[in-house]
Amino acid sequence: MRACDRLLESLLDASGEMPKIGPPIGASMLSACQVLGISFFNSDVDEAIASMEQGGGFLIAPSATCFARLRQDEIYRRAVIAADLAIADSGLMVLLWRLRRREKITRISGLKYLNHLLRKLKGKGTADVVWVLPNERARQKLFDWSRREVFPVVSSNCYVAPRYGLEIEDRNLLSLLEQNRPSHVVVAIGSGAQEKLAYFLRENLSYRPPIHCTGAALGFITGEQIRIPEWADRLYLGWLLRLMTQPHRFVPRLIRGFELPWLIWKFGEHLPPLSGTAD
């Protein structure tokens, strides 16, 4: 971690701000658009999956409620700007960026990405996936879904994550991955923790598998959370369905998303400073 800190510090320019982040490693020819210091992939979902399979590393899909965390959580911030691929899950971000800069960013929701990935893996008939899950209920729902969809899921490859603190170093999961060396890792534990966990895994694994951080998307697919039809996801209405069915859980997250328009207006493509530092 100290080495990573020194590298991060060496990238800072004279003003103390993070410079623009370029395309992910191994994806220099892919189209990207930088928003709030994050280089968002700007092509179709199949190309995103192909890029991850070719280069490995970890993929993130920040929702509108995640961007405020860039100013509040330094460890999360470090993980997000180090991601190998970021897809534009937030329809609000895509719309705001088009209004502000007249630039189009291709929206690929975490749900769309994961659906395409699972269809591809099912076509290959592979069970070579480790699933990182938030609880036992999510684990059982994954098994139920696997039987319905005839998708191979190996019990020993299902890892129920513990409750993580501010810093994340999961040596048990690291050991599981080193032992089984899966071709893919799907992390479905929610934003904040998943990016930190994926960053830790990428930096410490002896090989470089694709690590897909898609948060609640797996729960939408397996039925562990409300199902979101493809038409609703395509029309940027997934948040509305979640608000209607789980207002007690989703309203606080929605409130955090209100900061996004100000962040985009104020900082544009630049990484916003941490709270308490000069803007």
Side-chain angles (χ1 to χ4, degrees), residues 25-51:
I25 296 172
S28 58
M29 299 304 292
L30 298 180
S31 176
C33 183
Q34 183 159 300
V35 181
L36 298 176
I38 304 171
S39 183
F40 282 96
F41 177 77
N42 200 16
S43 188
D44 64 69
V45 63
D46 292 322
E47 190 173 354
I49 292 171
S51 176

PDB file of all heavy atoms in Angstrom, residues 25-51:
ATOM      1  N   ILE A  25      -4.864   0.082 -18.804  1.00  0.00           N
ATOM      2  CA  ILE A  25      -3.753  -0.719 -19.313  1.00  0.00           C
ATOM      3  C   ILE A  25      -4.260  -1.726 -20.331  1.00  0.00           C
ATOM      4  O   ILE A  25      -5.247  -2.424 -20.103  1.00  0.00           O
ATOM      5  CB  ILE A  25      -3.055  -1.453 -18.159  1.00  0.00           C
ATOM      6  CG1 ILE A  25      -2.426  -0.425 -17.208  1.00  0.00           C
ATOM      7  CG2 ILE A  25      -2.006  -2.414 -18.665  1.00  0.00           C
ATOM      8  CD1 ILE A  25      -1.873  -1.035 -15.951  1.00  0.00           C
ATOM      9  N   GLY A  26      -3.577  -1.832 -21.448  1.00  0.00           N
ATOM     10  CA  GLY A  26      -3.960  -2.815 -22.448  1.00  0.00           C
ATOM     11  C   GLY A  26      -5.135  -2.382 -23.302  1.00  0.00           C
ATOM     12  O   GLY A  26      -5.646  -3.153 -24.088  1.00  0.00           O
ATOM     13  N   ALA A  27      -5.636  -1.135 -23.098  1.00  0.00           N
ATOM     14  CA  ALA A  27      -6.804  -0.699 -23.848  1.00  0.00           C
ATOM     15  C   ALA A  27      -6.595   0.696 -24.441  1.00  0.00           C
ATOM     16  O   ALA A  27      -7.503   1.483 -24.554  1.00  0.00           O
ATOM     17  CB  ALA A  27      -8.036  -0.705 -22.948  1.00  0.00           C
ATOM     18  N   SER A  28      -5.355   0.989 -24.835  1.00  0.00           N
ATOM     19  CA  SER A  28      -5.021   2.330 -25.276  1.00  0.00           C
ATOM     20  C   SER A  28      -5.748   2.734 -26.547  1.00  0.00           C
ATOM     21  O   SER A  28      -5.903   3.914 -26.817  1.00  0.00           O
ATOM     22  CB  SER A  28      -3.505   2.448 -25.492  1.00  0.00           C
ATOM     23  OG  SER A  28      -3.076   1.496 -26.441  1.00  0.00           O
ATOM     24  N   MET A  29      -6.207   1.765 -27.338  1.00  0.00           N
ATOM     25  CA  MET A  29      -6.890   2.081 -28.574  1.00  0.00           C
ATOM     26  C   MET A  29      -8.390   2.197 -28.380  1.00  0.00           C
ATOM     27  O   MET A  29      -9.116   2.521 -29.309  1.00  0.00           O
ATOM     28  CB  MET A  29      -6.588   0.987 -29.622  1.00  0.00           C
ATOM     29  CG  MET A  29      -5.117   0.847 -29.966  1.00  0.00           C
ATOM     30  SD  MET A  29      -4.392   2.407 -30.543  1.00  0.00           S
ATOM     31  CE  MET A  29      -5.247   2.581 -32.108  1.00  0.00           C
ATOM     32  N   LEU A  30      -8.910   1.947 -27.174  1.00  0.00           N
ATOM     33  CA  LEU A  30     -10.337   2.015 -26.929  1.00  0.00           C
ATOM     34  C   LEU A  30     -10.755   3.463 -26.715  1.00  0.00           C
ATOM     35  O   LEU A  30     -10.028   4.264 -26.144  1.00  0.00           O
ATOM     36  CB  LEU A  30     -10.709   1.180 -25.707  1.00  0.00           C
ATOM     37  CG  LEU A  30     -10.430  -0.317 -25.799  1.00  0.00           C
ATOM     38  CD1 LEU A  30     -10.860  -1.012 -24.511  1.00  0.00           C
ATOM     39  CD2 LEU A  30     -11.147  -0.936 -26.990  1.00  0.00           C
ATOM     40  N   SER A  31     -11.962   3.791 -27.157  1.00  0.00           N
ATOM     41  CA  SER A  31     -12.494   5.130 -26.975  1.00  0.00           C
ATOM     42  C   SER A  31     -12.836   5.347 -25.507  1.00  0.00           C
ATOM     43  O   SER A  31     -13.387   4.476 -24.843  1.00  0.00           O
ATOM     44  CB  SER A  31     -13.751   5.293 -27.836  1.00  0.00           C
ATOM     45  OG  SER A  31     -14.352   6.544 -27.618  1.00  0.00           O
ATOM     46  N   ALA A  32     -12.505   6.534 -24.991  1.00  0.00           N
ATOM     47  CA  ALA A  32     -12.774   6.840 -23.590  1.00  0.00           C
ATOM     48  C   ALA A  32     -13.132   8.308 -23.461  1.00  0.00           C
ATOM     49  O   ALA A  32     -12.753   9.144 -24.281  1.00  0.00           O
ATOM     50  CB  ALA A  32     -11.564   6.505 -22.721  1.00  0.00           C
ATOM     51  N   CYS A  33     -13.879   8.629 -22.400  1.00  0.00           N
ATOM     52  CA  CYS A  33     -14.245  10.006 -22.088  1.00  0.00           C
ATOM     53  C   CYS A  33     -14.055  10.216 -20.598  1.00  0.00           C
ATOM     54  O   CYS A  33     -14.582   9.434 -19.796  1.00  0.00           O
ATOM     55  CB  CYS A  33     -15.693  10.268 -22.487  1.00  0.00           C
ATOM     56  SG  CYS A  33     -16.212  11.985 -22.220  1.00  0.00           S
ATOM     57  N   GLN A  34     -13.304  11.237 -20.232  1.00  0.00           N
ATOM     58  CA  GLN A  34     -12.985  11.446 -18.827  1.00  0.00           C
ATOM     59  C   GLN A  34     -13.984  12.375 -18.157  1.00  0.00           C
ATOM     60  O   GLN A  34     -14.245  13.480 -18.633  1.00  0.00           O
ATOM     61  CB  GLN A  34     -11.574  12.017 -18.662  1.00  0.00           C
ATOM     62  CG  GLN A  34     -11.187  12.182 -17.200  1.00  0.00           C
ATOM     63  CD  GLN A  34      -9.694  12.256 -17.014  1.00  0.00           C
ATOM     64  OE1 GLN A  34      -8.982  11.331 -17.372  1.00  0.00           O
ATOM     65  NE2 GLN A  34      -9.224  13.348 -16.468  1.00  0.00           N
ATOM     66  N   VAL A  35     -14.551  11.907 -17.040  1.00  0.00           N
ATOM     67  CA  VAL A  35     -15.500  12.677 -16.237  1.00  0.00           C
ATOM     68  C   VAL A  35     -15.081  12.561 -14.778  1.00  0.00           C
ATOM     69  O   VAL A  35     -14.916  11.447 -14.263  1.00  0.00           O
ATOM     70  CB  VAL A  35     -16.939  12.160 -16.411  1.00  0.00           C
ATOM     71  CG1 VAL A  35     -17.910  13.001 -15.578  1.00  0.00           C
ATOM     72  CG2 VAL A  35     -17.350  12.155 -17.874  1.00  0.00           C
ATOM     73  N   LEU A  36     -14.874  13.686 -14.117  1.00  0.00           N
ATOM     74  CA  LEU A  36     -14.504  13.710 -12.699  1.00  0.00           C
ATOM     75  C   LEU A  36     -13.283  12.832 -12.404  1.00  0.00           C
ATOM     76  O   LEU A  36     -13.232  12.136 -11.391  1.00  0.00           O
ATOM     77  CB  LEU A  36     -15.695  13.310 -11.826  1.00  0.00           C
ATOM     78  CG  LEU A  36     -16.913  14.243 -11.915  1.00  0.00           C
ATOM     79  CD1 LEU A  36     -18.068  13.698 -11.093  1.00  0.00           C
ATOM     80  CD2 LEU A  36     -16.551  15.660 -11.489  1.00  0.00           C
ATOM     81  N   GLY A  37     -12.325  12.855 -13.312  1.00  0.00           N
ATOM     82  CA  GLY A  37     -11.086  12.121 -13.114  1.00  0.00           C
ATOM     83  C   GLY A  37     -11.149  10.657 -13.464  1.00  0.00           C
ATOM     84  O   GLY A  37     -10.144   9.954 -13.358  1.00  0.00           O
ATOM     85  N   ILE A  38     -12.312  10.169 -13.880  1.00  0.00           N
ATOM     86  CA  ILE A  38     -12.481   8.754 -14.224  1.00  0.00           C
ATOM     87  C   ILE A  38     -12.587   8.623 -15.735  1.00  0.00           C
ATOM     88  O   ILE A  38     -13.387   9.312 -16.373  1.00  0.00           O
ATOM     89  CB  ILE A  38     -13.734   8.161 -13.562  1.00  0.00           C
ATOM     90  CG1 ILE A  38     -13.683   8.347 -12.047  1.00  0.00           C
ATOM     91  CG2 ILE A  38     -13.884   6.671 -13.905  1.00  0.00           C
ATOM     92  CD1 ILE A  38     -14.973   7.976 -11.346  1.00  0.00           C
ATOM     93  N   SER A  39     -11.789   7.740 -16.312  1.00  0.00           N
ATOM     94  CA  SER A  39     -11.799   7.533 -17.755  1.00  0.00           C
ATOM     95  C   SER A  39     -12.858   6.481 -18.094  1.00  0.00           C
ATOM     96  O   SER A  39     -12.667   5.291 -17.884  1.00  0.00           O
ATOM     97  CB  SER A  39     -10.416   7.063 -18.228  1.00  0.00           C
ATOM     98  OG  SER A  39     -10.400   6.917 -19.639  1.00  0.00           O
ATOM     99  N   PHE A  40     -13.995   6.944 -18.626  1.00  0.00           N
ATOM    100  CA  PHE A  40     -15.109   6.046 -18.917  1.00  0.00           C
ATOM    101  C   PHE A  40     -14.991   5.458 -20.323  1.00  0.00           C
ATOM    102  O   PHE A  40     -14.795   6.179 -21.305  1.00  0.00           O
ATOM    103  CB  PHE A  40     -16.446   6.775 -18.776  1.00  0.00           C
ATOM    104  CG  PHE A  40     -16.875   6.954 -17.350  1.00  0.00           C
ATOM    105  CD1 PHE A  40     -16.606   8.142 -16.679  1.00  0.00           C
ATOM    106  CD2 PHE A  40     -17.525   5.932 -16.676  1.00  0.00           C
ATOM    107  CE1 PHE A  40     -16.987   8.304 -15.361  1.00  0.00           C
ATOM    108  CE2 PHE A  40     -17.905   6.091 -15.352  1.00  0.00           C
ATOM    109  CZ  PHE A  40     -17.636   7.274 -14.691  1.00  0.00           C
ATOM    110  N   PHE A  41     -15.135   4.152 -20.391  1.00  0.00           N
ATOM    111  CA  PHE A  41     -15.156   3.428 -21.651  1.00  0.00           C
ATOM    112  C   PHE A  41     -16.310   3.955 -22.500  1.00  0.00           C
ATOM    113  O   PHE A  41     -17.419   4.153 -22.005  1.00  0.00           O
ATOM    114  CB  PHE A  41     -15.335   1.941 -21.352  1.00  0.00           C
ATOM    115  CG  PHE A  41     -15.456   1.066 -22.566  1.00  0.00           C
ATOM    116  CD1 PHE A  41     -14.339   0.744 -23.304  1.00  0.00           C
ATOM    117  CD2 PHE A  41     -16.684   0.559 -22.945  1.00  0.00           C
ATOM    118  CE1 PHE A  41     -14.443  -0.078 -24.427  1.00  0.00           C
ATOM    119  CE2 PHE A  41     -16.796  -0.260 -24.052  1.00  0.00           C
ATOM    120  CZ  PHE A  41     -15.674  -0.576 -24.797  1.00  0.00           C
ATOM    121  N   ASN A  42     -16.054   4.159 -23.790  1.00  0.00           N
ATOM    122  CA  ASN A  42     -17.057   4.812 -24.640  1.00  0.00           C
ATOM    123  C   ASN A  42     -17.284   4.041 -25.935  1.00  0.00           C
ATOM    124  O   ASN A  42     -17.140   4.563 -27.033  1.00  0.00           O
ATOM    125  CB  ASN A  42     -16.640   6.251 -24.951  1.00  0.00           C
ATOM    126  CG  ASN A  42     -17.808   7.113 -25.400  1.00  0.00           C
ATOM    127  OD1 ASN A  42     -18.967   6.752 -25.203  1.00  0.00           O
ATOM    128  ND2 ASN A  42     -17.510   8.245 -26.017  1.00  0.00           N
ATOM    129  N   SER A  43     -17.626   2.757 -25.778  1.00  0.00           N
ATOM    130  CA  SER A  43     -17.970   1.933 -26.931  1.00  0.00           C
ATOM    131  C   SER A  43     -19.015   0.922 -26.472  1.00  0.00           C
ATOM    132  O   SER A  43     -19.642   1.110 -25.427  1.00  0.00           O
ATOM    133  CB  SER A  43     -16.712   1.256 -27.485  1.00  0.00           C
ATOM    134  OG  SER A  43     -16.993   0.612 -28.712  1.00  0.00           O
ATOM    135  N   ASP A  44     -19.202  -0.165 -27.222  1.00  0.00           N
ATOM    136  CA  ASP A  44     -20.304  -1.074 -26.887  1.00  0.00           C
ATOM    137  C   ASP A  44     -19.907  -2.123 -25.854  1.00  0.00           C
ATOM    138  O   ASP A  44     -18.729  -2.321 -25.546  1.00  0.00           O
ATOM    139  CB  ASP A  44     -20.845  -1.757 -28.158  1.00  0.00           C
ATOM    140  CG  ASP A  44     -19.803  -2.645 -28.822  1.00  0.00           C
ATOM    141  OD1 ASP A  44     -19.451  -3.692 -28.250  1.00  0.00           O
ATOM    142  OD2 ASP A  44     -19.316  -2.275 -29.911  1.00  0.00           O
ATOM    143  N   VAL A  45     -20.906  -2.795 -25.327  1.00  0.00           N
ATOM    144  CA  VAL A  45     -20.712  -3.716 -24.206  1.00  0.00           C
ATOM    145  C   VAL A  45     -19.856  -4.918 -24.586  1.00  0.00           C
ATOM    146  O   VAL A  45     -19.049  -5.399 -23.779  1.00  0.00           O
ATOM    147  CB  VAL A  45     -22.081  -4.160 -23.637  1.00  0.00           C
ATOM    148  CG1 VAL A  45     -22.905  -4.936 -24.669  1.00  0.00           C
ATOM    149  CG2 VAL A  45     -21.905  -4.971 -22.369  1.00  0.00           C
ATOM    150  N   ASP A  46     -20.006  -5.410 -25.801  1.00  0.00           N
ATOM    151  CA  ASP A  46     -19.214  -6.576 -26.211  1.00  0.00           C
ATOM    152  C   ASP A  46     -17.726  -6.242 -26.271  1.00  0.00           C
ATOM    153  O   ASP A  46     -16.872  -7.066 -25.929  1.00  0.00           O
ATOM    154  CB  ASP A  46     -19.694  -7.106 -27.566  1.00  0.00           C
ATOM    155  CG  ASP A  46     -21.090  -7.708 -27.480  1.00  0.00           C
ATOM    156  OD1 ASP A  46     -21.383  -8.361 -26.460  1.00  0.00           O
ATOM    157  OD2 ASP A  46     -21.888  -7.515 -28.419  1.00  0.00           O
ATOM    158  N   GLU A  47     -17.412  -5.022 -26.695  1.00  0.00           N
ATOM    159  CA  GLU A  47     -16.006  -4.605 -26.737  1.00  0.00           C
ATOM    160  C   GLU A  47     -15.453  -4.445 -25.319  1.00  0.00           C
ATOM    161  O   GLU A  47     -14.288  -4.747 -25.052  1.00  0.00           O
ATOM    162  CB  GLU A  47     -15.854  -3.305 -27.513  1.00  0.00           C
ATOM    163  CG  GLU A  47     -14.401  -2.941 -27.801  1.00  0.00           C
ATOM    164  CD  GLU A  47     -14.247  -1.745 -28.718  1.00  0.00           C
ATOM    165  OE1 GLU A  47     -15.267  -1.250 -29.234  1.00  0.00           O
ATOM    166  OE2 GLU A  47     -13.095  -1.314 -28.915  1.00  0.00           O
ATOM    167  N   ALA A  48     -16.304  -3.990 -24.405  1.00  0.00           N
ATOM    168  CA  ALA A  48     -15.879  -3.868 -23.007  1.00  0.00           C
ATOM    169  C   ALA A  48     -15.536  -5.236 -22.421  1.00  0.00           C
ATOM    170  O   ALA A  48     -14.508  -5.412 -21.757  1.00  0.00           O
ATOM    171  CB  ALA A  48     -16.976  -3.204 -22.178  1.00  0.00           C
ATOM    172  N   ILE A  49     -16.384  -6.219 -22.685  1.00  0.00           N
ATOM    173  CA  ILE A  49     -16.134  -7.572 -22.183  1.00  0.00           C
ATOM    174  C   ILE A  49     -14.876  -8.152 -22.808  1.00  0.00           C
ATOM    175  O   ILE A  49     -14.051  -8.767 -22.124  1.00  0.00           O
ATOM    176  CB  ILE A  49     -17.352  -8.473 -22.458  1.00  0.00           C
ATOM    177  CG1 ILE A  49     -18.544  -8.019 -21.598  1.00  0.00           C
ATOM    178  CG2 ILE A  49     -17.025  -9.941 -22.174  1.00  0.00           C
ATOM    179  CD1 ILE A  49     -19.854  -8.695 -21.955  1.00  0.00           C
ATOM    180  N   ALA A  50     -14.723  -7.950 -24.114  1.00  0.00           N
ATOM    181  CA  ALA A  50     -13.532  -8.455 -24.800  1.00  0.00           C
ATOM    182  C   ALA A  50     -12.264  -7.829 -24.233  1.00  0.00           C
ATOM    183  O   ALA A  50     -11.240  -8.506 -24.066  1.00  0.00           O
ATOM    184  CB  ALA A  50     -13.638  -8.182 -26.304  1.00  0.00           C
ATOM    185  N   SER A  51     -12.321  -6.537 -23.928  1.00  0.00           N
ATOM    186  CA  SER A  51     -11.161  -5.861 -23.360  1.00  0.00           C
ATOM    187  C   SER A  51     -10.794  -6.441 -21.998  1.00  0.00           C
ATOM    188  O   SER A  51      -9.615  -6.651 -21.694  1.00  0.00           O
ATOM    189  CB  SER A  51     -11.449  -4.361 -23.228  1.00  0.00           C
ATOM    190  OG  SER A  51     -10.384  -3.702 -22.592  1.00  0.00           O
TER     191      SER A  51
END
